[in-house]
Amino acid sequence: MTTALLRTADALHARTRGGRRTVVMTMGALHEGHATLVRTARELAGPDGEVVVTVFVNPLQFGQGEDLDRYPRTLDADLKIAELAGADVLFAPSVDEVYPGGEPQVRITAGPMGERLEGNSRPGHFDGMLTVVAKLLHLTRPDTALFGQKDAQQLALIRRMVRDLDFGVRIVAVPTVREEDGLALSSRNRFLSAEERRTALALSRALFAGRDRHAAQEALRARAREVPATHARAEALSALGESRAAADAHAVAKAAPGDPAGVRAAARTVLDEAARLVPPLHLDYLALVDPSDFTEIEDGFTGEAVLAVAARVGSTRLIDNLPLTFGAAS
């Protein structure tokens, strides 16, 4: 398969469409995480469908002092990766093609959810992101668009925009792709020195620590519900190494599912240790949120949640997250 490189929407619209069109939106500097998105898009499109990968470094979502000029631009390599992953088209429009006449005067606003976490750290970022996603959805006219779960808040906002504004497109989330050492794949990883990369591993380790604490808590409560009352329950909990819980097994069995504070504390311990490394990790935020609005969850919460972290190592800012489910067992 040869992937066509197209620069204009007119050229894209001139293509004959047979089956369904799936789109993967990127800012270029493609890596295995992007390739996974493209391969998934290929599966969804089927042999008769069409996979379009967009490459556009969107100036609207870079704030003052951010790395717009530094952001890697590797179109030739991107084309090869997209082709190997099964893309039919690489759509790489210019700024003038996407924003004819200059920056748009009318933009999409992300609302309150866009002001939290990433939005608080990067004011205006999500307004710019949603505006370009809306533009690219109109320019590419897909049936399905795929986005990675690594950018969890971005994904949630895109889903909200599509639902609230009645875009006729299906949004599909693809799990985060990680390197062997656990670091989430990102185009910005290339900016890390060897020493900075070692420190950056604390992001994924913190998330894994929170996940493990959560799994232990859920397993403890599930076990407590299974074991008949009082003495036998206490012995079972004690065997699990939870002496404090064993002291009041009945309370554990009746407790609200999950312990958000415990999950946060387990992750925070890893991040605090990384802050003392050389070079240090500078934490931006650690949050355990409801993905419907990205507000912090409280004790007693049940359902899907996202444990998210953002930090800077050297001059490179990185984000990562893991999905968790509270109260899965009843």
Side-chain angles (χ1 to χ4, degrees):
M1 173 187 291
T2 299
T3 300
L5 174 61
L6 303 180
R7 298 284 192 169
T8 68
D10 286 344
L12 182 60
H13 297 164
R15 289 178 62 88
T16 301
R17 290 182 61 169
R20 299 176 66 81
R21 175 177 285 173
T22 59
V23 166
V24 174
M25 296 184 189
T26 82
M27 291 206 299
L30 302 189
H31 50 63
E32 179 57 26
H34 297 112
T36 299
L37 284 165
V38 178
R39 287 192 292 267
T40 305
R42 181 77 270 163
E43 293 174 4
L44 293 175
D48 299 324
E50 183 180 57
V51 176
V52 177
V53 176
T54 70
V55 171
F56 180 67
V57 181
N58 178 32
L60 297 190
Q61 64 194 77
F62 287 81
Q64 185 175 2
E66 292 190 330
D67 53 358
L68 173 60
D69 293 334
R70 185 185 179 213
Y71 199 87
R73 291 160 173 83
T74 56
L75 188 61
D76 290 342
D78 294 344
L79 183 60
K80 292 178 182 178
I81 291 173
E83 187 168 277
L84 289 172
D88 298 289
V89 174
L90 187 74
F91 179 50
S94 67
V95 173
D96 288 340
E97 177 74 13
V98 177
Y99 302 124
E103 291 190 3
Q105 297 300 301
V106 177
R107 308 186 187 192
I108 291 178
T109 300
M113 184 162 62
E115 298 172 357
R116 298 171 186 137
L117 299 189
E118 284 298 291
N120 182 60
S121 299
R122 305 174 67 189
H125 166 72
F126 285 126
D127 293 354
M129 179 275 295
L130 289 178
T131 299
V132 79
V133 169
K135 289 277 293 187
L136 289 172
L137 287 175
H138 291 312
L139 292 173
T140 60
R141 302 173 183 174
D143 299 289
T144 303
L146 294 86
F147 296 90
Q149 289 182 344
K150 186 180 82 71
D151 297 295
Q153 194 171 2
Q154 169 180 286
L155 172 63
L157 282 162
I158 291 169
R159 282 176 160 162
R160 174 69 68 173
M161 177 184 72
V162 166
R163 182 168 63 250
D164 288 354
L165 301 184
D166 297 314
F167 280 68
V169 62
R170 176 189 174 206
I171 302 299
V172 172
V174 177
T176 300
V177 179
R178 299 183 180 279
E179 301 193 40
E180 290 186 3
D181 56 11
L183 188 67
L185 283 174
S186 170
S187 301
R188 291 186 169 92
N189 290 353
R190 68 186 65 196
F191 298 135
L192 297 168
S193 68
E195 294 78 12
E196 288 170 344
R197 184 187 172 88
R198 283 194 289 271
T199 296
L201 291 176
L203 274 77
S204 56
R205 287 202 303 267
L207 297 178
F208 298 154
R211 177 196 61 190
D212 293 346
R213 175 63 182 267
H214 170 68
Q217 292 169 171
E218 293 290 328
L220 178 63
R221 286 176 171 80
R223 180 60 179 150
R225 285 189 294 268
E226 293 172 1
V227 179
T230 325
H231 183 67
R233 179 182 284 120
E235 287 183 343
L237 292 169
S238 183
L240 289 173
E242 296 285 348
S243 58
R244 180 178 178 186
D248 192 354
H250 183 70
V252 172
K254 297 296 183 181
D259 174 13
V263 173
R264 293 185 186 97
R268 172 72 71 166
T269 297
V270 176
L271 297 169
D272 287 346
E273 292 173 353
R276 296 188 288 271
L277 297 176
V278 178
L281 180 143
H282 299 284
L283 182 64
D284 188 344
Y285 63 75
L286 172 69
L288 183 56
V289 298
D290 181 340
S292 68
D293 59 7
F294 270 68
T295 57
E296 292 278 354
I297 67 171
E298 299 178 352
D299 289 344
F301 176 88
T302 59
E304 300 299 316
V306 173
L307 180 62
V309 62
R312 191 174 297 277
V313 182
S315 61
T316 304
R317 187 174 183 275
L318 301 170
I319 63 172
D320 202 352
N321 72 85
L322 278 179
L324 301 174
T325 303
F326 285 79
S330 59

